Amino acid sequence: MTAPAESATPWRENLAKLGVTLPPVTAPVAAYVPALRSGSLVYTSGQLPFVDGELVVTGKVGAEVTVEAAAEAARLCALNALAAVHDLVGLDEVVRIVKVVGFVASAPGFGDQPVVINGASQFLGAVFGDAGAHARSAVGVSELPRNTPVEVELIAEVR
């Protein structure tokens, strides 16, 4: 009998250091699945900043929502995306985070979308180390589902 494969990254220890646990996967709010594997890639659906089934913040960034609150929401979106990946294949299978796409519901004239999505990117780096470095898009939009200020999706390479 062979020993179980070790995790590619110390994600469990890093989540513990951050004081974070993986939440249950948020149930889809429409006709889609939270994550889907195709070959060696896992694609997540856009994740919202849900905690215990409730959005933690609503509104437009640059109006009702501060950049700091939106960056924290982006971190929560990334955590929910990791939960979707874990539920599908297990985070031990993650080789690296390949791409992050972040959408920011922006008030007119707001242009700091990259700063907001840094909340997700920095969190993924803290969890996966060098394997968390990724390509990224940060897009300003006029509206997001349920009046959330941020939505994040990711692509992870897995074994």
Side-chain angles (χ1 to χ4, degrees), residues 5-32:
E6 281 191 36
S7 176
T9 64
W11 66 268
R12 283 185 175 90
E13 294 84 6
N14 291 342
L15 280 180
K17 286 177 191 172
L18 295 169
V20 176
T21 57
L22 285 175
V25 176
T26 302
V29 297
Y32 61 88

Side-chain angles (χ1 to χ4, degrees), residues 39 121 130 137:
S121 295
D130 290 344
S137 299

Side-chain angles (χ1 to χ4, degrees), residues 100-104 113 117 120 136-141 150-153:
V100 169
V101 179
F103 302 95
V104 180
Q113 292 84 4
I117 303 306
R136 186 181 90 176
S137 299
V139 182
V141 298
V150 183
E151 181 174 345
V152 172
E153 61 185 53

Side-chain angles (χ1 to χ4, degrees), residues 37-121:
R37 181 176 185 162
S38 180
S40 63
L41 299 175
V42 171
Y43 298 79
T44 70
S45 294
Q47 299 293 314
L48 305 182
F50 283 113
V51 174
D52 298 327
E54 300 292 326
L55 285 175
V56 297
V57 62
T58 58
K60 301 269 190 300
V61 184
E64 304 90 359
V65 181
T66 66
V67 170
E68 296 78 17
E72 174 59 20
R75 184 189 74 79
L76 290 170
C77 293
L79 177 63
N80 289 335
L82 292 183
V85 172
H86 186 67
D87 191 59
L88 183 66
V89 298
L91 288 183
D92 286 336
E93 299 302 308
V94 172
V95 174
R96 71 173 300 110
I97 303 301
V98 176
K99 174 101 185 212
V100 169
V101 179
F103 302 95
V104 180
S106 303
F110 181 78
D112 281 339
Q113 292 84 4
V115 176
V116 171
I117 303 306
N118 278 348
S121 295

